[in-house]
Amino acid sequence: MKKFTKKFAQFIIFATLLCLCATGRAAFSDVPDDAWYASDVGRMRDTGLIAGYDDGTFRPDATITYAEFVTIIKRCATGEAQNSENGHWAGAVMEYAYNSGWYDYDEINADMYDKPIPRYMAAKLIALGLALPENEHEKNAYWEYMNSIKDFNSINGRYAYLVVRCYNNGVLNGDENGNFNPESDLTRAEAGAMILRAMDMSHTGAQPATAPPAQSPQSDLNTVKGGVSANGRLQVLGGRLCNEAGNPVVLHGMSSHGLHWFPQFTSREYIRMTSGSGANVFRIAMYTAEGGYISQPDNVKTLLTTAVDNAIAEDMYVIIDWHILSDGNPMTYVNQSKEFFNEVSARYANTPNVLYEICNEPNGGVSWANDIKPYAETIIPVIRANSPDSIILVGSGTWSQDINEPADNPLAYGNIMYTCHFYAGTHGQWLRDRIDYALGKGAPIFVTEWGTSAADGNGGVYLEESARWLDFLDSRGISWCNWSLCDKAESSAALSGDGLSQSGSFVFSRF
Ligand code: DCB
């Protein structure tokens, strides 16, 4: 392997890359003329992408490592890839890739450079490093790919949309059974074939952005905004929602309406409509009762996965909301909830985008101490087992207005926030006072749902009171999602006809 890597460094022949038509026989002792990869291996050798060994072999079935793979991508993207003088031979290349946003800090470390690269990571590096184009077909046919990639559900949610991009660009085809096999290694022949196909498709020479966008103060409390690429993994410090660097961050965005009723408004286009106006979070309200998840779990889960992946692709934070409503006690479906959160937190385990809201609005004869807290103590460990650091949002009684109760009797876990919900036509100063009480007790608060209407989602709109509320939240640096991104004939709906409703125009202006 050492010999190979040394030799490898001498191949800096970018010019020939432009001549990708070069084929010819491979002429390696271990590459039969009729192997599926024979002509690809010839192109790899001719272009200098992957050289052979001094003994005349190519070793097409040997696995390729992170360092080797990233080095080839860098050479394709920039025309060169210098070995480092000190430390690991690929140290400088890996640093360049990291600084270019091809991978995140928690994905590859120096101990992994010489390990085999799994296919999901190869897909990400190809898609970002070679700037594979995203076209309309990818967006419209995402569902088709979900069905045609047989093991789609085993792809970690952080990577699914980039895997789809590779398929859509002809870079990946799947195995003979239609599986992608995300965790499997790649052989040298497979890696080379993928990269050659990507070079045929990619925006060659297009350099990805290197620096995250500047962060600007948004509220009295000097919070920052920006998407996941700018802020990374969220954490709760001193009762405040903070970004990975420890700076207070504020999230503003829309909540969907009931996912099973209005899935069309969780598409890339609609989510982008909000991010384009400055939103950095999207909440997916997955009703449990009312004909939602409990009665059609598989269908609704598919809608949910699609929606979450859409938000991830738009660099948004995304809240998975277990939207209890007529099922007022979260204990009613606690077993289904355990199963659901186990599954989604595994899928999005190392995805910094995802926040989990485990009970939308407990109501009826439920109390924090007897029902909601025990429920939270059941679900939180399930999520934590898969995703130890993610933010978990917990509701309270009376449609998440009894926030004084968790403030007096908090959960003994880190990275927890309590949700407070309000409707401007119904809830006023007393609820703002209650928020201040909870903050005073050190309870972190997130308004995951509020409306410009009355509490039934209709009436008004009450824009003056809404503005009073948002000014209050700004002054406390509290994050919020507005109910709701849909075109239902009710005043809280943000959409109307082809554009924004009265509520939507107001809310979008406050992102
Ligand atoms: C919350 C729920 C949310 C509900 C909105 C507006 O409920 F989280 O699901 O959304 O606030 O009421 C409404 C939709 C309607 C739909 C209805 C039933 O806008 O289109 O038909 O859900 O699915 C609240 C919030 C506060 C209070 C009461 C309710 N409150 N509630 O303070 O009295 O009864 O739904």
Side-chain angles (χ1 to χ4, degrees), residues 36-99:
W36 67 266
Y37 48 78
S39 75
D40 286 335
V41 167
R43 284 175 73 191
M44 293 175 223
R45 180 208 48 212
D46 296 344
T47 57
L49 276 185
I50 305 186
Y53 291 86
D54 288 349
D55 64 4
T57 62
F58 183 79
R59 301 178 201 172
D61 296 325
T63 58
I64 194 154
T65 67
Y66 282 88
E68 291 163 353
F69 194 83
V70 174
T71 302
I72 302 169
I73 299 284
K74 164 113 177 18
R75 178 162 305 136
C76 290
T78 69
E80 58 83 32
Q82 297 287 342
N83 277 10
S84 300
E85 311 255 308
N86 307 310
H88 193 280
W89 62 267
V93 165
M94 297 306 288
E95 197 180 319
Y96 175 90
Y98 174 71
N99 290 332

Side-chain angles (χ1 to χ4, degrees), residues 389-436:
D389 302 319
S390 51
I391 304 289
I392 298 178
L393 306 158
V394 187
S396 57
T398 319
W399 298 282
S400 292
Q401 286 144 33
D402 294 345
I403 50 171
N404 49 307
E405 295 188 3
D408 290 337
N409 179 10
L411 289 158
Y413 300 90
N415 290 330
I416 300 289
M417 302 186 81
Y418 303 102
T419 64
C420 180
H421 290 182
F422 71 86
Y423 281 79
T426 304
H427 309 107
Q429 190 57 42
W430 65 270
L431 189 53
R432 290 191 286 273
D433 292 344
R434 211 177 249 191
I435 289 180
D436 276 339

